Amino acid sequence: MSAAQPEVPPLLEVNNIEVVYSDVILVLRGLSLKVPKGEIVALLGANGAGKSTTLKAISGLLKTEDGEVTRGDVTFAGERINGIDPHLIVRRGIFQVMEGRRIVSDMTALENLRLGAFTRRDREVGDDIERVYGYFPRLKERTGLAGYLSGGEQQMLAIGRALMARPKLILMDEPSMGLSPLLVQEVFGIIRKINQDLGVTILLVEQNARMALSVASYGYVMEQGKVVLDGTAAELADNEDVKEFYLGGHGAERKSFRNLKSFKRRKRWL
Amino acid sequence: MDFTLFFPLLLNGLIVGALYGVVAMSFVLIYKASQVVNFAQGEFLLVGAWVCWWLLTTYPIPFWAGFLVTMCFMTLFGIILQVVVLRPLIGEPVISVIMATVGMSIFFQALMKWMFGVFAKPFPPIFATERVQVLGLQVQPVYLLSLVVSLFIMLGFWWFFTYSKHGLAMRATAFDQQVAQSLGVSVPRVFAMSWAISAVVSSVAGVVVGVVNGVSSALSFYGIKVFPAVILGGLDSIIGAVLGGLIVGVLENLAQWVDSEFLNWGNMTQIAPFYALVLILLIKPYGLFGTKNIERV
Ligand SMILES: Nc1ncnc2c1ncn2[C@@H]1O[C@H](COP(=O)(O)OP(=O)(O)OP(=O)(O)O)[C@@H](O)[C@H]1O
Ligand SMILES: [Mg+2]
């Protein structure tokens, strides 16, 4: 396994971690990955492979679900961070945009954005709100409760809220979920732009492998709690297995879908 | 029909109702932030009023100084209760948590009786006692002050939850603890903060009532009045708590008027709010402003 630029230490390094939920459910079985500073790295995999669990292991949110990293290390900016409370990990510069957007629906969009800046003490929060409005102009027009925003607007708000924390690393969990193809294009355009403009490093979890590989520089494919394949985005996009299972070749979509279903069922009964 | 009593009673209802509203708000604050039904809310008034009374009668300090020291004490008091009593109970069944707050209520009532006796004690005179004219009614200045204090606290709550980042963090925690944590909010800190604010705000009401009526264990009743107010307004709505408090205060006093004018049953005051409660819950089972627990998909 080799990162894109092996000479500088990566911003994030996950080394051979094992994650257990409720003391008995083993979900990650020795997973490793590296995210170099300033890049977008994609993490692909079927339903139930453990992608969200990987992100939660990094952000510490695992704790809130009775999960635990039982082996291995998560190293961020040279320091070991596993076991640290999630709110302190946010202060270190890692911000997770959770699956399903998870905006606070009984607050306005603006309040959600201000909430994103909770850990900050500086006086530039107002400027950053304007900058987020620059990326997502339509958020500025929405003054009602965020719960009434459309799915796409909620995803934009979730990303905007993450930017408000000025993180070094954003963990993004399925930003394309439930969005129309056009909106997926738009959201990924903005993800790329944020990465280029602000230099934010992004670890991107996606089911939409085509989209993810189009913005990422490097990618990992995981299955049953382990990385089974990794390479540059171009290499992965050319890989026959990836093509068949994740990029939806001829009839492959249905085949993989059936696979995933039985896979999920098996895991449930474990 | 005799209306000479009607308007004074209405005004009285509003003044007392505003205080109920303040206590109900601080009750809802704890409930929303940490899902704890606090049966010891009335004891916050009691402890706060006694501490302030003790400071003012023991040391030659001006009222504002005693009041400030009381607020600081209550902040610590709220935090310590949360950390020592409630934090270990996180994740325990609701009934255990309720029993713990009931236990706190009994404990502090007994402690206050033991320390300060069972008789009501007046505050040293603080404000002018000449009545003033308001809209043709004779009112004691302390009552007006009480109303002003209540409104001030309500305004403070509104500001806190709309503009301060800790207020937003508290709302986020009430909405979804995992989301709050993902934004960098420390949930235990929010819990402690909600108890501190609740204790301080309730004790302000306690001191106000103490200044008006003297300090006695009767202050604990405010903790019981909170229930009709809060259930009327909806357990999870701060605005609902304020309105519920006002409604209960006004109802009590109007019931007294109706009773003295027409029924002569005696003591309608205490039960009228509960009748109203039953009626409103028949029509709106989640209270006037409460939210149904909508299943989120
Ligand atoms: N809190 C939990 N307690 C127990 N098991 C869990 C928990 N969360 C997830 N799991 C299990 O861990 C496995 C991986 O879940 P995870 O959510 O990480 O998958 P995923 O790759 O993100 O899937 P998806 O694409 O559906 O979001 C699944 O089998 C799931 O059932
Ligand atoms: Mg997932």
Side-chain angles (χ1 to χ4, degrees), chain A residues 46-53 55-56 99 173-174 177 205 207 264:
Chain A
N47 287 107
K51 306 182 295 297
S52 299
T53 301
L55 295 192
K56 286 176 202 154
E99 193 176 314
D173 202 345
E174 302 203 27
M177 188 198 254
V205 159
Q207 301 261 352
K264 189 127 193 169

Side-chain angles (χ1 to χ4, degrees), chain B residues 29-292:
Chain B
L29 175 64
I30 287 182
Y31 180 75
K32 265 187 88 105
S34 63
Q35 284 81 47
V36 173
V37 177
N38 181 19
F39 279 86
Q41 198 71 38
E43 281 62 42
F44 285 161
L45 280 83
L46 190 66
V47 171
W50 275 125
V51 167
C52 193
W53 177 89
W54 179 79
L55 285 169
L56 292 180
T57 50
T58 313
Y59 299 103
I61 48 174
F63 176 75
W64 62 264
F67 185 73
L68 271 184
V69 175
T70 306
M71 300 299 98
C72 296
F73 173 82
M74 290 307 289
T75 308
L76 283 179
F77 184 70
I79 292 174
I80 289 171
L81 277 190
Q82 203 280 326
V83 172
V84 174
V85 181
L86 290 133
R87 190 164 294 177
L89 289 173
I90 288 176
E92 298 296 323
V94 177
I95 190 73
S96 315
V97 179
I98 287 181
M99 290 327 283
T101 68
V102 169
M104 271 165 23
S105 162
I106 295 169
F107 174 76
F108 285 113
Q109 263 184 51
L111 184 70
M112 292 299 109
K113 277 191 186 136
W114 177 65
M115 287 174 74
F116 299 107
V118 289
F119 299 110
K121 303 222 170 106
F123 258 86
I126 297 154
F127 304 104
T129 43
E130 297 108 67
R131 292 166 175 251
V132 290
Q133 287 282 123
V134 179
L135 303 168
L137 296 172
Q138 297 270 312
V139 190
Q140 281 200 32
V142 266
Y143 280 91
L144 284 185
L145 188 79
S146 139
L147 194 58
V148 170
V149 169
S150 303
L151 292 177
F152 192 74
I153 292 176
M154 289 169 189
L155 214 68
F157 259 59
W158 171 79
W159 179 87
F160 178 72
F161 285 109
T162 322
Y163 293 109
S164 86
K165 81 176 188 182
H166 289 286
L168 287 178
M170 239 176 226
R171 282 165 66 192
T173 307
F175 175 76
D176 184 330
Q177 291 179 10
Q178 192 184 36
V179 169
Q181 279 170 289
S182 82
L183 300 170
V185 176
S186 159
V187 170
R189 280 258 286 277
V190 166
F191 286 180
M193 197 189 288
S194 71
W195 279 76
I197 295 174
S198 187
V200 168
V201 168
S202 292
S203 73
V204 174
V207 171
V208 167
V209 179
V211 167
V212 176
N213 294 336
V215 189
S216 74
S217 57
L219 278 171
S220 294
F221 281 116
Y222 277 76
I224 294 166
K225 286 292 161 52
V226 152
F227 286 95
V230 155
I231 293 169
L232 268 177
L235 257 178
D236 57 358
S237 164
I238 291 203
I239 294 172
V242 171
L243 283 178
L246 284 173
I247 291 173
V248 169
V250 169
L251 268 179
E252 274 181 356
N253 283 272
L254 290 192
Q256 195 183 338
W257 179 74
V258 170
D259 192 36
S260 67
E261 285 299 308
F262 310 108
L263 303 171
N264 291 312
W265 290 349
N267 217 0
M268 272 292 282
T269 321
Q270 303 294 328
I271 18 174
F274 292 93
Y275 281 135
L277 176 66
V278 170
L279 269 180
I280 292 187
L281 289 188
L282 280 177
I283 306 162
K284 298 206 68 163
Y286 297 94
L288 294 174
F289 292 86
T291 42
K292 259 199 283 204

Side-chain angles (χ1 to χ4, degrees), chain A residues 186-203:
Chain A
E186 189 178 339
V187 166
F188 272 81
I190 291 166
I191 291 174
R192 184 189 278 136
K193 199 157 165 235
I194 286 167
N195 170 253
Q196 286 166 355
D197 292 1
L198 309 174
V200 195
T201 310
I202 298 173
L203 176 57

